[in-house]
Amino acid sequence: MKKTAVVTGGAGGIGEAVCRRLSSDGYYVYVGYVSSKEKAERIAEEISGESLKLDVTSMADISDAARKIGFTNLLVNNAGISEIELFTCISEQKSREIIDTNLIGAMNCTRAFLPEMIKRKSGCIINISSMWGQVGASCEVDYSASKAGLIGFTKALAKETAPSGIRVNCVSPGFIMTEMNKCFSDEDLNLIREEIPLGIFGEPRHVADSVAFLASEYSEYITGQVLAVNGGMVI
């Protein structure tokens, strides 16, 4: 029987790469989406998976998904949003959206799928954080706080679920070339590249490869860890 994986934010740049990589590794993948229905359906069709309406801020969506799928071998909490703005200028609504999506959404999805994992004493959870969750970013304070919380969540949950045979880890990407970063000018990009010791920008496949490793048997003795994928920006 095929292993199953649920990927939230599966129609985004990193999410799509993760879905495709997990499919190539033999998973039946549920491609979670909020508004990108057509793209999610296309990805799901191409990888012989299934698209899934999964707004991580909606308990109705989360509960429906958990009831439909039941046990999943792998949950990848990838859904996330950001906003570049001064901390004193960002709206309360946007701040709540960031925290609710990036942190609370991941916690709620995990809370919904975890009981079946515990019953079977099997399962893997991978949270997608950010290097800004490790060191903080000016003008992305709320985003940094949400991603730092995700790291803390990873470490604490790993301790709690280890006796049940469930591993919980975190991937912490650096600058990855996705639609989220298309707002930067060529000048900005050149300045950012100069800050990356390896001298190259990350690609979604780099994150997907890291997720695949943490989900595999090669990492069976790894839990509660943060795998940094940032070209050396944060060491």
Side-chain angles (χ1 to χ4, degrees), residues 70-140:
F71 173 72
T72 185
N73 300 90
L74 172 63
L75 171 63
V76 182
N77 287 310
N78 168 71
I81 59 173
S82 67
E83 179 86 358
I84 298 177
E85 182 61 273
L86 288 170
F87 178 66
T88 52
C89 295
I90 194 167
S91 70
E92 181 180 354
Q93 179 181 354
K94 178 55 70 173
S95 174
R96 285 185 176 275
E97 287 177 8
I98 291 170
I99 299 297
D100 286 348
T101 301
N102 299 358
L103 177 57
I104 304 301
M107 295 175 72
N108 286 339
C109 284
T110 302
R111 210 184 307 273
F113 286 100
L114 185 58
E116 287 297 322
M117 291 183 177
I118 292 174
K119 280 183 185 178
R120 301 197 186 199
K121 292 190 177 300
S122 176
C124 182
I125 298 165
I126 300 173
N127 300 314
I128 308 299
S129 181
S130 165
M131 68 178 183
W132 301 132
Q134 296 175 275
V135 298
S138 172
C139 295
E140 288 188 273

Side-chain angles (χ1 to χ4, degrees), residues 16-94:
E16 178 178 359
V18 169
C19 289
R20 292 185 183 280
R21 176 56 198 269
L22 291 176
S23 176
S24 71
D25 286 348
Y27 283 88
Y28 183 85
V29 181
Y30 291 91
V31 184
Y33 71 91
V34 178
S35 57
S36 303
K37 181 179 180 181
E38 291 185 2
K39 184 177 180 183
E41 289 177 342
R42 175 177 57 79
I43 295 168
E45 182 178 359
E46 291 174 357
I47 65 174
S48 298
E50 189 172 337
S51 62
L52 182 71
K53 176 70 162 57
L54 186 51
D55 179 350
V56 300
T57 67
S58 166
M59 285 309 301
D61 273 12
I62 295 169
S63 298
D64 286 347
R67 278 194 299 269
K68 175 182 180 179
I69 297 168
F71 173 72
T72 185
N73 300 90
L74 172 63
L75 171 63
V76 182
N77 287 310
N78 168 71
I81 59 173
S82 67
E83 179 86 358
I84 298 177
E85 182 61 273
L86 288 170
F87 178 66
T88 52
C89 295
I90 194 167
S91 70
E92 181 180 354
Q93 179 181 354
K94 178 55 70 173

Side-chain angles (χ1 to χ4, degrees), residues 127 151 154-155 158 168-171 214 221-227:
N127 300 314
I151 291 173
T154 298
K155 292 177 179 290
V168 187
N169 287 294
C170 183
V171 176
L214 288 174
Y221 199 49
I222 299 174
T223 194
Q225 302 304 306
V226 179
L227 179 54

Side-chain angles (χ1 to χ4, degrees), residues 2 112 191:
K2 255 193 172 185
L191 290 173

